[in-house]
Structure formats: C-alpha cells, structure tokens
C-alpha cells in the first residue's frame, strides 16, 4: 500500500497521548479524518485534508459556492452555533 496519508481524530484521547499538532484546514474538532502531511516544523505539521471518515454533527454544506476556494468563508462548513463558538474563542 503506497498510501502515505494518516488517519487522525481531533479528540481528548489523542491530545493526551501526544502534544504534536497537525494543522488541517476545514476540519471540525471531533471529526475522524484522513490527511496527508506535507510539511513538518519543530512543534507541528501542516497537512491537506484527504477524506472525512466520520463528520462532526456540526458539519453543514457551505452556502457560498466559493467557500473552498477564496478563504473568506473559512467557517461555513460549521453550523452557525459552532461558528460563533470558534469566533468567540479566537478573540478571548
């Protein structure tokens, strides 16, 4: 098998086992995803989202047809309640 992607779950169990962070755009905490790591840094890695294996119940279809292209709608894949929670956490 030449597949070098990684399956990851953004949950407390994985967090307690490792402090390594993998930055993956468009993933909601709690989702089980398959990613491909393309860059490693001293304390984290960047990865591309390859597949959502188990979506979050907070995942919705984005309203904007350009949401995956321009970056201006980076939270539209989340329910409005989840968007508000994330935005509030970012400014605290």
């Amino acid at each position: 098998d030449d597949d070098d992607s990684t399956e990851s779950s953004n949950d407390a169990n994985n967090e307690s086992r490792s402090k390594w962070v993998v930055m993956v755009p468009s993933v909601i905490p709690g989702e089980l995803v398959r990613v491909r790591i393309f860059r490693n840094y001293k304390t984290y890695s960047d990865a591309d989202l390859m597949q959502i294996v188990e979506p979050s119940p907070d995942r919705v279809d984005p309203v904007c047809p350009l949401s995956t292209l321009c970056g201006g709608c980076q939270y539209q894949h989340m329910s409005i309640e989840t968007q508000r929670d994330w935005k509030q956490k970012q400014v605290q």
Side-chain angles (χ1 to χ4, degrees), residues 47-60:
D48 290 324
L49 176 61
M50 304 304 291
Q51 177 185 9
I52 299 169
V53 179
E54 292 179 20
S56 167
D58 296 318
R59 180 169 288 279
V60 297

Side-chain angles (χ1 to χ4, degrees), residues 74-85:
Q74 63 183 349
Y75 296 123
Q76 279 201 5
H77 63 287
M78 299 177 181
S79 68
I80 191 66
E81 296 83 12
T82 304
Q83 287 183 43
R84 289 180 183 141
D85 289 344

Side-chain angles (χ1 to χ4, degrees), residues 33-82:
V33 299
R34 184 172 293 259
V35 303
R36 185 173 311 245
I37 294 173
F38 64 86
R39 186 177 301 125
N40 292 308
Y41 294 98
K42 187 174 183 176
T43 57
Y44 71 96
S45 295
D46 286 330
D48 290 324
L49 176 61
M50 304 304 291
Q51 177 185 9
I52 299 169
V53 179
E54 292 179 20
S56 167
D58 296 318
R59 180 169 288 279
V60 297
D61 290 329
V63 176
C64 178
L66 302 175
S67 66
T68 59
L69 303 175
C70 76
C73 308
Q74 63 183 349
Y75 296 123
Q76 279 201 5
H77 63 287
M78 299 177 181
S79 68
I80 191 66
E81 296 83 12
T82 304

Side-chain angles (χ1 to χ4, degrees), residues 3-4 17 37 56 92:
D3 186 8
D4 60 353
R17 286 187 293 216
I37 294 173
S56 167
Q92 288 179 341

